[in-house]
Amino acid sequence: MEINQNNMNKVMKYRWVVFVILALVYFFVYFHRVSTAVVATDIMNSFGVGAASIGLLGSAYFYAYTAMQLPSGILTDSWGVKKTAGVFTLLAAVGAVLTGIASSFTMVLIGRVLIGVGVAMVYIPVMKVLAIWFKKNEFASMSGVLLAIGNIGALSAAGPLAIMAAFFGDWQKVFLMLGVFSGLLAVAIFVLVKDKPEDMGCPTIPEIEAYEKGEKYIPPKAVAKIPMGEALRQTFNSGMKFWPLSIWFFFMYGSLMVYQGLWGGPFFRDVLGWDKGTYAGILSFIAIGMIFGCPIAGYLSDKVLKSRKKVLIAGTAVYIVLWGILWSQAGNITSTTAYTLIHFLFGFFGGFFIVSYAQIKDWFPSSIVGTAIGAYNIFPFLGGAIFMTLTGKMMEVSDGTVASVAQYKSVWLLMLACMIFAFLCLLVSKEKGAEKASAPVKFTDAGDSPVGSQR
Protein backbone atom coordinates (compact mmCIF):
# COMPACT_ATOMS: atom_id res chain seq x y z
CA MET A 1 0.00 0.00 0.00
CA GLU A 2 1.27 3.46 -0.89
CA ILE A 3 2.34 5.41 2.17
CA ASN A 4 2.21 9.19 2.23
CA GLN A 5 2.05 11.79 4.95
CA ASN A 6 -1.67 12.37 4.53
CA ASN A 7 -2.53 8.69 4.98
CA MET A 8 -0.21 8.43 7.96
CA ASN A 9 -1.73 11.50 9.61
CA LYS A 10 -5.20 10.14 8.97
CA VAL A 11 -4.39 6.90 10.80
CA MET A 12 -2.61 8.59 13.70
CA LYS A 13 -5.55 10.94 14.25
CA TYR A 14 -8.44 8.57 13.63
CA ARG A 15 -7.16 5.95 16.05
CA TRP A 16 -8.07 8.36 18.85
CA VAL A 17 -11.65 8.43 17.63
CA VAL A 18 -11.77 4.64 17.83
CA PHE A 19 -10.10 4.54 21.25
CA VAL A 20 -12.16 7.30 22.87
CA ILE A 21 -15.48 5.73 21.85
CA LEU A 22 -14.52 2.29 23.17
CA ALA A 23 -12.88 3.76 26.28
CA LEU A 24 -16.18 5.50 27.10
CA VAL A 25 -17.89 2.12 26.86
CA TYR A 26 -15.21 0.63 29.14
CA PHE A 27 -15.95 3.41 31.65
CA PHE A 28 -19.40 1.87 32.13
CA VAL A 29 -17.97 -1.63 32.52
CA TYR A 30 -16.53 -0.59 35.87
CA PHE A 31 -19.45 1.70 36.69
CA HIS A 32 -21.93 -1.17 36.53
CA ARG A 33 -19.54 -3.51 38.31
CA VAL A 34 -19.69 -1.64 41.63
CA SER A 35 -23.00 0.22 41.33
CA THR A 36 -24.95 -2.33 43.37
CA ALA A 37 -23.19 -1.28 46.59
CA VAL A 38 -24.47 2.30 46.24
CA VAL A 39 -28.10 1.55 45.32
CA ALA A 40 -28.47 -1.65 47.39
CA THR A 41 -30.60 0.06 50.04
CA ASP A 42 -32.80 1.72 47.40
CA ILE A 43 -33.40 -1.60 45.66
CA MET A 44 -34.28 -3.30 48.94
CA ASN A 45 -36.74 -0.53 49.79
CA SER A 46 -38.24 -0.38 46.29
CA PHE A 47 -38.98 -4.08 45.94
CA GLY A 48 -39.05 -5.31 49.52
CA VAL A 49 -36.18 -7.76 49.13
CA GLY A 50 -33.50 -8.77 51.61
CA ALA A 51 -29.77 -9.17 51.70
CA ALA A 52 -29.81 -12.57 49.97
CA SER A 53 -31.56 -11.06 46.97
CA ILE A 54 -29.09 -8.18 46.85
CA GLY A 55 -26.23 -10.69 46.98
CA LEU A 56 -27.80 -12.55 44.06
CA LEU A 57 -28.22 -9.30 42.16
CA GLY A 58 -24.60 -8.35 42.70
CA SER A 59 -23.38 -11.78 41.64
CA ALA A 60 -25.54 -11.86 38.50
CA TYR A 61 -23.19 -9.42 36.78
CA PHE A 62 -20.19 -11.59 37.62
CA TYR A 63 -21.78 -14.88 36.56
CA ALA A 64 -22.68 -13.33 33.21
CA TYR A 65 -19.27 -11.69 32.84
CA THR A 66 -17.50 -14.94 33.66
CA ALA A 67 -19.51 -16.96 31.17
CA MET A 68 -18.67 -14.55 28.34
CA GLN A 69 -14.89 -14.38 28.74
CA LEU A 70 -13.96 -17.07 26.21
CA PRO A 71 -16.79 -16.22 23.76
CA SER A 72 -15.52 -12.64 23.81
CA GLY A 73 -12.24 -13.65 22.21
CA ILE A 74 -13.94 -15.93 19.69
CA LEU A 75 -16.41 -13.27 18.54
CA THR A 76 -13.80 -10.53 18.44
CA ASP A 77 -11.73 -12.65 16.09
CA SER A 78 -14.64 -13.79 13.92
CA TRP A 79 -16.96 -10.75 13.96
CA GLY A 80 -14.41 -8.01 14.41
CA VAL A 81 -14.22 -5.18 16.94
CA LYS A 82 -17.00 -3.02 15.50
CA LYS A 83 -19.68 -5.70 15.38
CA THR A 84 -18.76 -7.37 18.68
CA ALA A 85 -18.51 -4.18 20.72
CA GLY A 86 -21.48 -2.56 18.98
CA VAL A 87 -23.93 -5.45 19.41
CA PHE A 88 -23.07 -6.12 23.02
CA THR A 89 -22.94 -2.46 24.04
CA LEU A 90 -26.47 -2.24 22.69
CA LEU A 91 -27.40 -5.29 24.77
CA ALA A 92 -25.97 -3.61 27.89
CA ALA A 93 -28.04 -0.54 27.06
CA VAL A 94 -31.18 -2.69 26.92
CA GLY A 95 -30.29 -4.13 30.34
CA ALA A 96 -29.86 -0.64 31.83
CA VAL A 97 -33.17 0.53 30.37
CA LEU A 98 -34.90 -2.57 31.71
CA THR A 99 -33.45 -1.83 35.15
CA GLY A 100 -34.68 1.74 34.85
CA ILE A 101 -38.28 0.76 34.07
CA ALA A 102 -38.43 -2.38 36.23
CA SER A 103 -41.57 -2.88 38.26
CA SER A 104 -40.27 -5.97 40.04
CA PHE A 105 -37.03 -7.31 41.41
CA THR A 106 -37.08 -10.05 38.76
CA MET A 107 -36.94 -7.41 36.03
CA VAL A 108 -34.00 -5.74 37.77
CA LEU A 109 -32.22 -9.12 37.97
CA ILE A 110 -32.78 -9.78 34.26
CA GLY A 111 -31.52 -6.30 33.49
CA ARG A 112 -28.41 -6.94 35.56
CA VAL A 113 -27.69 -10.16 33.65
CA LEU A 114 -28.06 -8.38 30.32
CA ILE A 115 -25.71 -5.64 31.50
CA GLY A 116 -23.18 -8.25 32.59
CA VAL A 117 -23.31 -10.09 29.27
CA GLY A 118 -23.06 -6.85 27.33
CA VAL A 119 -20.13 -5.23 29.12
CA ALA A 120 -18.23 -8.54 29.25
CA MET A 121 -17.63 -8.16 25.52
CA VAL A 122 -15.75 -4.86 25.73
CA TYR A 123 -12.29 -5.55 27.18
CA ILE A 124 -10.90 -7.91 24.54
CA PRO A 125 -12.15 -5.78 21.61
CA VAL A 126 -10.42 -2.75 23.14
CA MET A 127 -7.23 -4.74 23.61
CA LYS A 128 -7.39 -5.68 19.94
CA VAL A 129 -7.79 -2.02 19.03
CA LEU A 130 -4.67 -1.19 21.06
CA ALA A 131 -2.73 -3.96 19.32
CA ILE A 132 -3.81 -2.94 15.82
CA TRP A 133 -4.08 0.86 15.99
CA PHE A 134 -1.16 1.70 18.31
CA LYS A 135 2.59 1.15 18.13
CA LYS A 136 4.29 -1.62 20.07
CA ASN A 137 5.90 0.85 22.47
CA GLU A 138 2.50 2.44 23.13
CA PHE A 139 0.62 -0.72 24.04
CA ALA A 140 1.47 -0.87 27.75
CA SER A 141 0.93 2.84 28.36
CA MET A 142 -2.41 2.82 26.55
CA SER A 143 -3.46 -0.22 28.57
CA GLY A 144 -2.72 1.82 31.69
CA VAL A 145 -4.81 4.71 30.39
CA LEU A 146 -7.68 2.32 29.71
CA LEU A 147 -7.48 0.88 33.22
CA ALA A 148 -7.48 4.38 34.70
CA ILE A 149 -10.62 5.21 32.72
CA GLY A 150 -12.27 2.04 34.02
CA ASN A 151 -11.47 2.96 37.61
CA ILE A 152 -12.83 6.46 37.05
CA GLY A 153 -16.01 4.63 36.08
CA ALA A 154 -15.90 2.76 39.38
CA LEU A 155 -15.29 6.08 41.12
CA SER A 156 -18.35 7.55 39.41
CA ALA A 157 -20.44 4.61 40.63
CA ALA A 158 -19.75 5.68 44.22
CA GLY A 159 -20.28 9.34 45.08
CA PRO A 160 -21.67 10.65 41.76
CA LEU A 161 -24.21 7.84 41.44
CA ALA A 162 -25.51 8.53 44.94
CA ILE A 163 -25.71 12.26 44.15
CA MET A 164 -27.58 11.66 40.90
CA ALA A 165 -30.01 9.28 42.57
CA ALA A 166 -30.69 11.88 45.28
CA PHE A 167 -31.02 14.70 42.73
CA PHE A 168 -33.60 12.89 40.61
CA GLY A 169 -35.26 11.35 43.66
CA ASP A 170 -35.31 7.96 41.93
CA TRP A 171 -32.36 5.64 41.41
CA GLN A 172 -34.12 4.02 38.45
CA LYS A 173 -34.11 7.25 36.45
CA VAL A 174 -30.32 7.19 36.59
CA PHE A 175 -30.20 3.71 35.04
CA LEU A 176 -32.72 4.74 32.41
CA MET A 177 -30.45 7.62 31.38
CA LEU A 178 -27.46 5.28 31.42
CA GLY A 179 -29.29 2.97 29.05
CA VAL A 180 -30.06 5.78 26.62
CA PHE A 181 -26.47 7.02 26.67
CA SER A 182 -25.12 3.47 26.19
CA GLY A 183 -27.43 3.10 23.21
CA LEU A 184 -25.94 6.24 21.68
CA LEU A 185 -22.45 4.82 22.25
CA ALA A 186 -23.50 1.65 20.42
CA VAL A 187 -24.62 3.76 17.46
CA ALA A 188 -21.28 5.61 17.56
CA ILE A 189 -19.45 2.27 17.44
CA PHE A 190 -21.36 1.12 14.36
CA VAL A 191 -20.88 4.46 12.58
CA LEU A 192 -17.37 5.53 13.55
CA VAL A 193 -15.29 2.56 14.74
CA LYS A 194 -13.10 0.80 12.16
CA ASP A 195 -11.60 -2.61 12.80
CA LYS A 196 -8.24 -1.70 11.26
CA PRO A 197 -6.56 1.12 9.31
CA GLU A 198 -6.86 -0.86 6.08
CA ASP A 199 -10.64 -0.43 6.29
CA MET A 200 -10.00 3.26 5.60
CA GLY A 201 -7.62 2.56 2.74
CA CYS A 202 -4.68 3.49 4.96
CA PRO A 203 -1.39 1.76 5.84
CA THR A 204 -1.07 -0.42 8.93
CA ILE A 205 0.80 0.69 12.04
CA PRO A 206 3.77 -1.65 11.30
CA GLU A 207 4.01 -0.11 7.82
CA ILE A 208 3.99 3.38 9.31
CA GLU A 209 6.65 2.42 11.86
CA ALA A 210 8.90 1.05 9.10
CA TYR A 211 8.37 4.17 6.98
CA GLU A 212 9.26 6.46 9.90
CA LYS A 213 12.50 4.54 10.43
CA GLY A 214 13.37 4.72 6.75
CA GLU A 215 13.15 0.95 6.45
CA LYS A 216 11.45 -1.22 3.89
CA TYR A 217 8.38 -2.89 5.33
CA ILE A 218 8.60 -6.66 5.20
CA PRO A 219 5.33 -8.42 6.03
CA PRO A 220 5.85 -10.95 8.84
CA LYS A 221 5.67 -14.63 8.16
CA ALA A 222 2.30 -16.17 8.78
CA VAL A 223 1.98 -17.87 12.17
CA ALA A 224 0.34 -21.27 12.28
CA LYS A 225 -3.05 -20.98 13.86
CA ILE A 226 -3.68 -23.02 16.97
CA PRO A 227 -7.21 -24.43 17.26
CA MET A 228 -9.26 -23.21 20.19
CA GLY A 229 -9.38 -26.64 21.81
CA GLU A 230 -5.60 -27.06 21.68
CA ALA A 231 -5.04 -23.55 23.04
CA LEU A 232 -7.31 -24.29 25.99
CA ARG A 233 -5.62 -27.63 26.58
CA GLN A 234 -2.21 -25.99 26.72
CA THR A 235 -3.52 -23.34 29.10
CA PHE A 236 -5.33 -25.54 31.58
CA ASN A 237 -2.63 -28.23 31.50
CA SER A 238 0.15 -25.78 32.37
CA GLY A 239 0.09 -26.77 36.03
CA MET A 240 1.84 -24.51 38.51
CA LYS A 241 2.29 -21.83 35.89
CA PHE A 242 -1.48 -21.24 35.75
CA TRP A 243 -3.47 -22.76 38.59
CA PRO A 244 -1.99 -21.29 41.81
CA LEU A 245 -2.24 -17.76 40.43
CA SER A 246 -5.76 -18.40 39.14
CA ILE A 247 -6.87 -19.60 42.59
CA TRP A 248 -5.21 -16.54 44.14
CA PHE A 249 -7.09 -14.25 41.74
CA PHE A 250 -10.38 -16.00 42.51
CA PHE A 251 -10.08 -15.00 46.16
CA MET A 252 -8.32 -11.67 45.60
CA TYR A 253 -10.85 -10.12 43.28
CA GLY A 254 -13.80 -11.89 44.87
CA SER A 255 -12.96 -10.36 48.26
CA LEU A 256 -12.42 -6.94 46.70
CA MET A 257 -15.84 -6.99 45.08
CA VAL A 258 -17.54 -8.24 48.25
CA TYR A 259 -16.43 -5.04 49.94
CA GLN A 260 -16.28 -2.44 47.17
CA GLY A 261 -19.07 -3.80 45.02
CA LEU A 262 -21.63 -4.93 47.59
CA TRP A 263 -21.32 -4.78 51.39
CA GLY A 264 -19.11 -1.76 52.05
CA GLY A 265 -21.99 0.71 51.73
CA PRO A 266 -24.53 -1.27 53.78
CA PHE A 267 -21.92 -1.71 56.54
CA PHE A 268 -21.56 2.02 57.02
CA ARG A 269 -25.33 2.44 56.95
CA ASP A 270 -26.19 -0.37 59.36
CA VAL A 271 -23.27 -0.24 61.80
CA LEU A 272 -22.14 3.40 61.80
CA GLY A 273 -25.39 5.03 60.73
CA TRP A 274 -23.81 7.06 57.95
CA ASP A 275 -25.94 8.49 55.15
CA LYS A 276 -25.43 7.43 51.54
CA GLY A 277 -23.68 10.63 50.50
CA THR A 278 -21.07 10.15 53.23
CA TYR A 279 -20.25 6.50 52.73
CA ALA A 280 -20.46 6.64 48.93
CA GLY A 281 -17.81 9.36 48.89
CA ILE A 282 -15.55 7.43 51.24
CA LEU A 283 -15.96 4.21 49.24
CA SER A 284 -14.86 6.12 46.14
CA PHE A 285 -11.34 6.24 47.56
CA ILE A 286 -10.95 2.54 46.75
CA ALA A 287 -11.20 3.42 43.06
CA ILE A 288 -8.91 6.42 43.56
CA GLY A 289 -6.35 4.13 45.17
CA MET A 290 -6.53 1.77 42.19
CA ILE A 291 -6.05 4.61 39.72
CA PHE A 292 -2.67 5.21 41.35
CA GLY A 293 -1.83 1.65 42.42
CA CYS A 294 -2.25 -0.15 39.10
CA PRO A 295 0.26 1.86 37.04
CA ILE A 296 2.72 2.06 39.95
CA ALA A 297 2.57 -1.73 40.33
CA GLY A 298 3.35 -2.12 36.64
CA TYR A 299 6.29 0.25 36.92
CA LEU A 300 7.66 -1.59 39.95
CA SER A 301 7.34 -4.89 38.12
CA ASP A 302 8.99 -3.73 34.89
CA LYS A 303 11.57 -1.19 36.04
CA VAL A 304 12.38 -1.57 39.75
CA LEU A 305 11.98 -5.10 41.06
CA LYS A 306 11.91 -6.66 37.58
CA SER A 307 9.63 -9.32 38.98
CA ARG A 308 5.90 -9.95 38.75
CA LYS A 309 5.70 -12.25 41.76
CA LYS A 310 7.53 -9.97 44.20
CA VAL A 311 5.14 -7.12 43.42
CA LEU A 312 2.14 -9.39 43.85
CA ILE A 313 3.44 -10.74 47.15
CA ALA A 314 4.05 -7.24 48.53
CA GLY A 315 0.64 -5.95 47.43
CA THR A 316 -1.22 -9.01 48.70
CA ALA A 317 0.52 -8.88 52.08
CA VAL A 318 -0.57 -5.30 52.71
CA TYR A 319 -4.04 -6.08 51.37
CA ILE A 320 -4.35 -8.90 53.93
CA VAL A 321 -3.28 -6.56 56.74
CA LEU A 322 -6.00 -4.13 55.69
CA TRP A 323 -8.60 -6.92 55.77
CA GLY A 324 -7.37 -7.71 59.27
CA ILE A 325 -7.98 -4.10 60.31
CA LEU A 326 -11.44 -4.04 58.72
CA TRP A 327 -12.37 -7.22 60.57
CA SER A 328 -10.82 -6.59 63.98
CA GLN A 329 -11.86 -2.94 64.19
CA ALA A 330 -15.32 -3.18 62.63
CA GLY A 331 -17.60 -0.94 64.67
CA ASN A 332 -14.67 0.52 66.60
CA ILE A 333 -13.33 2.84 63.92
CA THR A 334 -15.82 5.67 63.42
CA SER A 335 -13.61 8.31 61.81
CA THR A 336 -14.34 9.20 58.19
CA THR A 337 -10.69 10.22 57.82
CA ALA A 338 -9.49 6.81 59.00
CA TYR A 339 -11.78 4.96 56.58
CA THR A 340 -10.75 7.28 53.75
CA LEU A 341 -7.11 6.30 54.31
CA ILE A 342 -7.96 2.60 54.69
CA HIS A 343 -9.97 2.64 51.47
CA PHE A 344 -7.25 4.41 49.51
CA LEU A 345 -4.68 1.85 50.63
CA PHE A 346 -7.18 -0.97 50.04
CA GLY A 347 -7.55 0.09 46.42
CA PHE A 348 -3.88 1.00 45.96
CA PHE A 349 -2.50 -2.37 47.04
CA GLY A 350 -5.52 -4.32 45.81
CA GLY A 351 -4.81 -2.85 42.38
CA PHE A 352 -1.47 -4.64 42.30
CA PHE A 353 -3.45 -7.56 40.84
CA ILE A 354 -2.93 -6.00 37.40
CA VAL A 355 0.63 -7.41 37.38
CA SER A 356 -0.75 -10.95 37.51
CA TYR A 357 -1.83 -10.67 33.87
CA ALA A 358 1.79 -10.11 32.93
CA GLN A 359 2.88 -13.13 34.97
CA ILE A 360 0.38 -15.29 33.08
CA LYS A 361 1.27 -13.74 29.73
CA ASP A 362 4.97 -14.41 30.22
CA TRP A 363 4.43 -18.17 30.28
CA PHE A 364 2.51 -18.53 27.01
CA PRO A 365 3.42 -18.03 23.35
CA SER A 366 1.86 -14.95 21.81
CA SER A 367 -0.24 -17.11 19.53
CA ILE A 368 -2.34 -18.34 22.48
CA VAL A 369 -1.76 -15.66 25.11
CA GLY A 370 -5.25 -14.25 24.43
CA THR A 371 -6.81 -17.60 25.21
CA ALA A 372 -4.66 -17.93 28.33
CA ILE A 373 -5.67 -14.48 29.58
CA GLY A 374 -9.32 -15.15 28.72
CA ALA A 375 -9.20 -18.39 30.69
CA TYR A 376 -7.41 -16.66 33.57
CA ASN A 377 -9.99 -13.88 33.55
CA ILE A 378 -12.72 -16.39 34.37
CA PHE A 379 -11.48 -16.80 37.93
CA PRO A 380 -11.74 -13.27 39.37
CA PHE A 381 -15.28 -12.78 38.14
CA LEU A 382 -16.32 -16.24 39.22
CA GLY A 383 -14.92 -15.34 42.64
CA GLY A 384 -16.99 -12.17 42.69
CA ALA A 385 -20.13 -14.06 41.72
CA ILE A 386 -19.74 -16.88 44.25
CA PHE A 387 -18.72 -14.67 47.16
CA MET A 388 -21.54 -12.21 46.54
CA THR A 389 -24.05 -15.05 46.60
CA LEU A 390 -22.50 -16.65 49.68
CA THR A 391 -22.20 -13.44 51.67
CA GLY A 392 -25.75 -12.51 50.72
CA LYS A 393 -26.89 -15.61 52.60
CA MET A 394 -24.66 -14.70 55.55
CA MET A 395 -26.12 -11.19 55.72
CA GLU A 396 -29.79 -12.20 55.63
CA VAL A 397 -31.81 -10.63 58.46
CA SER A 398 -35.38 -10.74 59.73
CA ASP A 399 -37.87 -8.29 58.28
CA GLY A 400 -37.64 -4.84 59.73
CA THR A 401 -34.13 -5.19 61.13
CA VAL A 402 -30.67 -4.31 59.90
CA ALA A 403 -27.62 -6.52 59.78
CA SER A 404 -25.55 -6.58 62.95
CA VAL A 405 -21.88 -5.76 63.32
CA ALA A 406 -21.34 -9.44 64.15
CA GLN A 407 -22.69 -10.45 60.74
CA TYR A 408 -20.42 -8.01 58.96
CA LYS A 409 -17.45 -9.17 61.02
CA SER A 410 -18.19 -12.76 60.04
CA VAL A 411 -18.05 -11.76 56.36
CA TRP A 412 -14.86 -9.76 56.85
CA LEU A 413 -13.30 -12.69 58.73
CA LEU A 414 -14.20 -15.07 55.92
CA MET A 415 -12.52 -12.74 53.42
CA LEU A 416 -9.44 -12.50 55.64
CA ALA A 417 -9.17 -16.28 55.92
CA CYS A 418 -9.63 -16.71 52.18
CA MET A 419 -6.92 -14.15 51.46
CA ILE A 420 -4.46 -15.93 53.75
CA PHE A 421 -5.08 -19.10 51.76
CA ALA A 422 -4.76 -17.13 48.53
CA PHE A 423 -1.41 -15.77 49.71
CA LEU A 424 -0.12 -19.31 50.15
CA CYS A 425 -1.20 -20.10 46.59
CA LEU A 426 0.63 -17.01 45.38
CA LEU A 427 3.82 -18.10 47.13
CA VAL A 428 3.92 -21.39 45.21
CA SER A 429 3.02 -19.86 41.85
CA LYS A 430 5.69 -19.98 39.16
CA GLU A 431 7.26 -16.87 37.66
CA LYS A 432 9.27 -16.90 34.49
CA GLY A 433 12.85 -15.65 34.74
CA ALA A 434 13.17 -11.87 34.73
CA GLU A 435 15.34 -11.92 31.64
CA LYS A 436 12.58 -13.74 29.78
CA ALA A 437 9.68 -11.97 31.42
CA SER A 438 10.84 -8.64 30.08
CA ALA A 439 10.71 -9.82 26.47
CA PRO A 440 7.88 -8.10 24.61
CA VAL A 441 4.98 -9.96 23.05
CA LYS A 442 5.36 -9.92 19.28
CA PHE A 443 2.44 -9.08 17.03
CA THR A 444 2.04 -10.04 13.41
CA ASP A 445 -0.39 -9.29 10.63
CA ALA A 446 -1.35 -12.94 10.78
CA GLY A 447 -3.35 -12.22 13.88
CA ASP A 448 -0.71 -13.26 16.37
CA SER A 449 -1.87 -10.96 19.21
CA PRO A 450 -2.79 -11.10 22.88
CA VAL A 451 -6.42 -10.43 22.16
CA GLY A 452 -7.83 -13.77 21.13
CA SER A 453 -6.59 -17.22 20.26
CA GLN A 454 -5.89 -18.24 16.71
CA ARG A 455 -8.89 -20.22 15.69
Side-chain angles (χ1 to χ4, degrees), residues 159-176:
L161 175 58
I163 293 171
M164 286 190 293
F167 177 80
F168 291 105
D170 185 353
W171 65 274
Q172 287 186 276
K173 288 182 180 179
V174 178
F175 279 87
L176 186 59

Side-chain angles (χ1 to χ4, degrees), residues 267-350:
F267 167 79
F268 293 117
R269 177 203 66 201
D270 295 343
V271 176
L272 300 182
W274 292 354
D275 61 79
K276 184 188 299 181
T278 299
Y279 67 69
I282 292 174
L283 279 171
S284 69
F285 276 86
I286 297 177
I288 294 173
M290 281 195 173
I291 291 173
F292 288 95
C294 290
I296 289 176
Y299 178 80
L300 291 174
S301 173
D302 289 335
K303 306 297 184 182
V304 181
L305 297 178
K306 300 186 184 300
S307 167
R308 318 302 191 190
K309 187 173 177 179
K310 290 178 181 178
V311 174
L312 292 174
I313 288 174
T316 303
V318 178
Y319 181 76
I320 290 173
V321 171
L322 293 169
W323 263 119
I325 294 173
L326 289 173
W327 163 66
S328 64
Q329 299 304 312
N332 296 328
I333 299 176
T334 59
S335 166
T336 56
T337 302
Y339 268 111
T340 297
L341 177 60
I342 290 171
H343 286 170
F344 178 82
L345 296 175
F346 196 76
F348 184 91
F349 289 101

Side-chain angles (χ1 to χ4, degrees), residues 207-449:
E207 288 177 300
I208 291 175
E209 288 184 289
Y211 180 84
E212 290 176 339
K213 295 176 182 178
E215 300 173 352
K216 180 180 179 181
Y217 175 70
I218 302 176
K221 296 180 180 179
V223 177
K225 294 184 177 182
I226 299 178
M228 179 67 177
E230 175 61 19
L232 287 174
R233 187 194 67 78
Q234 291 185 28
T235 299
F236 289 115
N237 284 352
S238 56
M240 299 297 286
K241 302 173 184 177
F242 181 83
W243 284 105
L245 204 61
S246 297
I247 296 171
W248 165 85
F249 209 6
F250 174 90
F251 291 112
M252 177 73 187
Y253 201 76
S255 65
L256 180 65
M257 285 297 101
V258 161
Y259 190 84
Q260 182 190 20
L262 192 59
W263 295 118
F267 167 79
F268 293 117
R269 177 203 66 201
D270 295 343
V271 176
L272 300 182
W274 292 354
D275 61 79
K276 184 188 299 181
T278 299
Y279 67 69
I282 292 174
L283 279 171
S284 69
F285 276 86
I286 297 177
I288 294 173
M290 281 195 173
I291 291 173
F292 288 95
C294 290
I296 289 176
Y299 178 80
L300 291 174
S301 173
D302 289 335
K303 306 297 184 182
V304 181
L305 297 178
K306 300 186 184 300
S307 167
R308 318 302 191 190
K309 187 173 177 179
K310 290 178 181 178
V311 174
L312 292 174
I313 288 174
T316 303
V318 178
Y319 181 76
I320 290 173
V321 171
L322 293 169
W323 263 119
I325 294 173
L326 289 173
W327 163 66
S328 64
Q329 299 304 312
N332 296 328
I333 299 176
T334 59
S335 166
T336 56
T337 302
Y339 268 111
T340 297
L341 177 60
I342 290 171
H343 286 170
F344 178 82
L345 296 175
F346 196 76
F348 184 91
F349 289 101
F352 277 31
F353 73 77
I354 193 65
V355 175
S356 69
Y357 287 100
Q359 182 166 326
I360 288 292
K361 180 268 295 179
D362 290 340
W363 279 115
F364 295 92
S366 56
S367 57
I368 67 167
V369 74
T371 299
I373 291 177
Y376 180 63
N377 223 25
I378 290 173
F379 292 88
F381 298 106
L382 184 61
I386 290 176
F387 279 126
M388 283 185 169
T389 303
L390 174 61
T391 56
K393 296 292 185 181
M394 295 173 66
M395 294 301 299
E396 193 70 275
V397 295
S398 303
D399 293 340
T401 62
V402 297
S404 66
V405 65
Q407 285 178 287
Y408 284 105
K409 289 191 73 170
S410 67
V411 171
W412 297 172
L413 179 59
L414 174 63
M415 296 300 100
L416 174 61
C418 287
M419 282 310 306
I420 292 173
F421 176 75
F423 187 72
L424 297 177
C425 293
L426 177 61
L427 291 178
V428 300
S429 68
K430 299 295 184 181
E431 178 184 25
K432 205 166 188 179
E435 72 283 354
K436 296 180 180 179
S438 60
V441 176
K442 297 181 179 180
F443 303 98
T444 74
D445 288 349
D448 186 19
S449 72

Side-chain angles (χ1 to χ4, degrees), residues 33 36 53-62 112 261-262 384-385 388:
R33 189 171 297 172
T36 304
S53 295
I54 295 300
L56 176 62
L57 181 66
S59 67
Y61 172 102
F62 290 94
R112 182 73 171 168
L262 192 59
M388 283 185 169

